[in-house]
Amino acid sequence: MRQPAVAGQFYPLRPENLEKELKQCFEGLDIRERNILGAVCPHAGYVYSGRVAAHVYAALPKADTYVLFGPSHTGYGSPVSVSTDTWKTPLGTLEVDRELAEGLAGSIVDVDELGHRYEHSIEVQLPFLQYRFDQNFRILPICLGMQDEETAIEVGTLIANLVSKSGKKVAFIASSDFTHYQPANLARETDNEIIEAILNLDVPGIYERLYRRNASVCGYGPISAMLTASKKLGATRAELLKYSNSGEVSGDMNAVVGYAAIIVE
């Protein structure tokens, strides 16, 4: 059982408080399913980025399995790891799609729980999925400690091929925040450039802009893996649903973290 690592920090520990906070995140948003193959969602504390994330989850369709790509902030475990444990959150337990996980045997993706044990980037997405869809789905959590372009494309292609063979309805979620601890106007300028490449479904363009701007986007590998997989399964367009930053909550516009909700259809 993979126990919650950041309940009580990034989001409330008590189920009733968590549900209340999630309800506030969705307040005023239309719950309307769209034909989404992939998405980018932030992974900060809900008080900062929950509202942005809810824009994606309000539009996300019901799927058999949600493949979650997250960056490694801890450095633990294998360079690219999949978890096969049952995952627990304050809202209940979620099973991993072991059929898809088994298909990764012998690939660049190792079965490794240590890479996931203390990592928050995937965990914070799960209560949103549970709030929308109860427990009636499976997850495939993939943590990327190695985020270079070649690795991201390889992982995305691998997952897309497995999904294609399985015949399952799947959606890919890339967990990422954008610029970290820059003045709000500079953060927006940098983030707009990276987001433009994402909206063009342009993986090499993401890396070119990332390096040129020395951007501090933490989940560029997961975003690129998600885009690769989505394109393989027929995605043709992307849309920015919401952009915001931490300063809009904290009031400190001198050192913000950027958040974007992006869908790929």
Side-chain angles (χ1 to χ4, degrees):
M1 181 79 73
R2 196 276 188 187
Q3 299 292 335
V6 294
Q9 299 169 53
F10 281 66
Y11 59 86
L13 178 62
R14 295 172 69 90
E16 59 273 26
N17 295 345
L18 177 52
E19 287 192 351
K20 187 178 170 189
E21 180 135 6
L22 285 163
K23 190 179 178 185
Q24 286 171 347
C25 290
F26 283 96
E27 216 165 83
L29 294 178
D30 280 340
I31 305 286
R32 185 171 64 85
E33 291 193 8
R34 295 174 60 169
N35 190 24
I36 295 170
L37 280 164
V40 180
C41 282
H43 56 232
Y46 287 7
V47 67
Y48 293 107
S49 69
R51 178 76 180 160
V52 177
H55 279 74
V56 164
Y57 288 105
L60 204 64
K62 177 83 180 77
D64 302 318
T65 300
Y66 295 96
V67 177
L68 296 123
F69 299 108
S72 170
H73 294 81
T74 67
Y76 292 133
S78 294
V80 185
S81 60
V82 63
S83 166
T84 56
D85 274 357
T86 299
W87 283 54
K88 186 179 181 185
T89 82
L91 300 183
T93 57
L94 290 170
E95 294 299 328
V96 165
D97 188 324
R98 289 192 173 80
E99 187 190 338
L100 288 181
E102 281 164 15
L104 295 166
S107 77
I108 190 176
V109 186
D110 295 323
V111 174
D112 174 42
E113 303 306 333
L114 183 59
H116 293 266
R117 192 170 299 157
Y118 308 107
E119 177 53 53
H120 68 271
S121 63
I122 290 172
E123 178 184 325
V124 297
Q125 309 298 340
L126 302 181
F128 279 97
L129 287 170
Q130 290 169 306
Y131 184 82
R132 273 293 320 276
F133 306 114
D134 200 25
Q135 320 292 329
N136 307 320
F137 58 88
R138 292 186 185 275
I139 59 171
L140 190 68
I142 296 175
C143 189
L144 286 92
M146 212 157 60
Q147 296 196 58
D148 60 280
E149 186 177 348
E150 193 181 342
T151 298
I153 289 171
E154 186 175 341
V155 171
T157 303
L158 190 63
I159 299 294
N161 290 340
L162 283 175
V163 167
S164 198
K165 280 183 204 151
S166 75
K168 293 176 180 180
K169 183 169 170 55
V170 169
F172 307 106
I173 297 166
S175 181
S176 183
D177 296 337
F178 280 75
T179 292
H180 287 64
Y181 313 123
Q182 295 277 355
N185 57 343
L186 189 61
R188 181 178 277 276
E189 192 182 298
T190 301
D191 291 346
N192 280 345
E193 273 207 49
I194 309 291
I195 288 166
E196 185 181 46
I198 296 169
L199 298 182
N200 291 331
L201 312 181
D202 178 8
V203 170
I206 292 171
Y207 283 87
E208 186 277 320
R209 292 165 191 226
L210 198 74
Y211 298 142
R212 179 164 47 78
R213 301 280 319 207
N214 195 22
S216 50
V217 178
C218 58
Y220 56 94
I223 291 170
S224 301
M226 176 279 293
L227 281 178
T228 302
S230 299
K231 282 162 70 179
K232 284 263 176 202
L233 296 184
T236 55
R237 64 177 294 273
E239 184 182 332
L240 175 67
L241 299 182
K242 177 76 176 168
Y243 178 84
S244 179
N245 67 58
S246 58
E248 290 173 30
V249 175
S250 70
D252 177 8
M253 290 295 186
N254 294 315
V256 307
V257 179
Y259 311 121
I262 301 169
I263 56 169
V264 182
E265 296 179 296

